[in-house]
Amino acid sequence: MSRAEDIFQKLIYFGEDAIDEFIINRQSEELFLDFKQAVSDGKNFTTLHRDDRKNLAKAISGFGNSEGGVILWGVECSRDMEVGDVAKAKVKVKNVHRFLSWVENAISGCTIPSHNRIRNHIVSVDDNGNGFLATYIPKSEIAPLMTTGSNNIYIRSGSNNVPAPYAVIAGMFGKAPLPNVELMMGDRKIEALENVDEDMLYPNSIDNPPEQYVKISFAIQAANCSNVIARELYMSCHTINDGGEYNKVRFSNYNQMDSISGIEGQLNLITRPELRLPPRGVIRFCKVEVILSPCIEDDFLLEGVIGADRATPRDFRIYIPKNKLRSYVAKVIRAEEGEQHLLSEFFNEYVDGEI
């Protein structure tokens, strides 16, 4: 996981507490982090204010042409002579949901070419609808990115986005295009099953086996989103904690791949040398079945990564704390909500990664 994505995930997990920590510790703006106050308040405009749009465009170009970064909207900075701009106070974004909509509508028009992998997350929102927004800008695979307003190409230097020198721009244009492999989780399905079903998991030899269990299945896939051929695609997946002795994770349908022996609970796959994935092509690594019983004793944690030769690896993670896992399994078994809602909760709340 990159430093920029690590900051973004921290804001997702800890919410406003992470912002409070930035302020208490006088966190400085750095290579991967920018603090911004939002000018857009909706009083005189129905779109993103030009100052916010200018800051957004510079950040997309600067972070996208460098190693990625995060804009945290809603934090005031003060100047420290030794370390630079540091987080000073919270200045909440007015109507943060509306601001999010304006930011997402502006992104595609901020740079040429547009950066299509930017993610936004509302860190917190109060009863008045005001709050904080984090904008994660990963490194662009289609650099250099030029701002549409000033026609400048920026790079990140220290805590600032600065116009790129000619030699740097020349080097960007001279780079050979690289494959860009994106993670996909398809064929999603969730079922509440009885222990007497055809897919029996708990044999009679087990003392007091669970009468019911939940099966969540999905396929781990990779899409080549670049304009070049991807080779030597790979996936590694490790079940670190399955939540209890009656739970398990099963991998299947990976006979088209070369499997490399790993530790217990780990699956390592790589495509055969002759396989090539064309631009816009999709390949399926394997099917995953997560089996969960009501007997939850611990957290559930599965981590993995996909990638290809010369491509940036894509990490993914499924983490469910044991209390939430107990509640989720019970909800599925009691059929309190529809299948699509339950699948949405699983993949939106418990799966981390760009899927």
Side-chain angles (χ1 to χ4, degrees):
M1 184 181 294
S2 69
R3 168 64 177 154
E5 190 171 3
D6 185 55
I7 293 171
F8 188 63
Q9 293 298 333
K10 179 178 180 179
L11 289 165
I12 292 175
Y13 291 144
F14 297 104
E16 197 167 340
D17 289 342
I19 300 176
D20 292 334
E21 183 182 332
F22 286 155
I23 294 171
I24 292 170
N25 296 333
R26 292 174 58 79
Q27 171 68 46
S28 63
E29 292 185 322
E30 45 145 299
L31 197 62
F32 305 99
L33 178 62
D34 235 347
F35 298 121
K36 294 296 179 189
Q37 294 186 57
V39 180
S40 307
D41 57 14
K43 290 182 179 178
N44 300 313
F45 301 93
T46 56
T47 58
L48 200 64
H49 189 279
R50 64 174 178 270
D51 290 345
D52 291 333
R53 185 184 178 92
K54 179 181 177 181
N55 287 331
L56 177 63
K58 286 177 65 176
I60 293 173
S61 178
F63 285 135
N65 288 333
S66 303
E67 294 300 317
V70 174
I71 312 172
L72 180 54
W73 302 91
V75 175
E76 178 186 358
C77 286
S78 64
R79 188 68 180 171
D80 186 295
M81 297 304 294
E82 294 184 0
V83 297
D85 292 334
V86 299
K88 176 185 177 182
K90 296 186 286 188
V91 183
K92 293 183 178 181
V93 178
K94 301 292 184 184
N95 196 336
V96 69
H97 284 282
R98 180 183 60 193
F99 184 77
L100 167 63
S101 176
W102 286 347
V103 167
E104 291 187 334
N105 288 337
I107 285 172
S108 62
C110 281
T111 60
I112 300 174
S114 61
H115 195 335
N116 61 1
R117 293 179 47 230
I118 295 172
R119 296 160 58 194
N120 291 288
H121 175 74
I122 292 177
V123 179
S124 70
V125 58
D126 62 22
D127 293 339
N128 297 319
N130 305 325
F132 306 90
L133 178 71
T135 300
Y136 168 52
I137 305 167
K139 179 180 180 180
S140 174
E141 306 294 338
I142 320 175
L145 302 176
M146 181 180 71
T147 59
T148 53
S150 59
N151 294 333
N152 282 325
I153 295 173
Y154 291 91
I155 57 173
R156 192 71 175 170
S157 177
S159 61
N160 296 308
N161 298 303
V162 298
Y166 173 81
V168 173
I169 297 174
M172 289 179 172
F173 276 110
K175 289 195 302 185
L178 300 176
N180 175 28
V181 175
E182 300 287 353
L183 171 68
M184 298 174 61
M185 291 185 176
D187 299 336
R188 304 175 183 184
K189 187 176 181 182
I190 187 167
E191 301 172 275
L193 301 174
E194 303 286 339
N195 196 31
V196 295
D197 286 338
E198 195 173 310
D199 185 69
M200 183 186 294
L201 175 65
Y202 310 110
N204 294 329
S205 58
I206 295 178
D207 293 335
N208 300 317
E211 296 180 358
Q212 292 179 293
Y213 62 94
V214 172
K215 182 171 76 170
I216 303 166
S217 59
F218 55 93
I220 298 180
Q221 301 167 322
N224 182 2
C225 299
S226 69
N227 293 320
V228 297
I229 293 173
R231 296 176 171 84
E232 296 185 353
L233 292 97
Y234 60 84
M235 185 208 78
S236 293
C237 194
H238 183 200
T239 306
I240 299 172
N241 215 340
D242 57 18
E245 62 174 322
Y246 295 133
N247 301 342
K248 65 170 63 177
V249 177
R250 303 192 291 209
F251 301 100
S252 61
N253 297 350
Y254 53 86
N255 56 323
Q256 299 300 315
M257 304 277 176
D258 285 336
S259 176
I260 302 168
S261 298
I263 61 177
E264 183 179 355
Q266 184 173 34
L267 177 67
N268 303 309
L269 302 175
I270 190 166
T271 56
R272 290 162 185 170
E274 65 273 11
L275 188 143
R276 297 170 295 169
L277 186 64
R280 314 297 181 268
V282 177
I283 191 170
R284 177 185 177 121
F285 285 109
C286 67
K287 180 180 178 180
V288 182
E289 292 180 344
V290 179
I291 309 297
L292 302 170
S293 82
C295 306
I296 304 298
E297 302 165 348
D298 206 343
D299 299 346
F300 180 92
L301 177 59
L302 179 148
E303 292 182 342
V305 61
I306 69 163
D309 182 32
R310 301 190 308 123
T312 302
R314 306 295 180 201
D315 295 312
F316 61 92
R317 183 173 184 260
I318 302 176
Y319 172 66
I320 316 177
K322 59 182 178 183
N323 290 337
K324 289 188 176 181
L325 188 57
R326 288 192 191 103
S327 173
Y328 184 75
V329 170
K331 192 170 8 179
V332 177
I333 289 177
R334 291 197 299 263
E336 293 181 0
E337 296 168 351
E339 178 180 337
Q340 289 306 313
H341 185 90
L342 293 167
L343 281 173
S344 177
E345 178 179 344
F346 182 84
F347 286 96
N348 292 339
E349 294 191 24
Y350 306 129
V351 179
D352 297 323
E354 298 177 24
I355 58 174

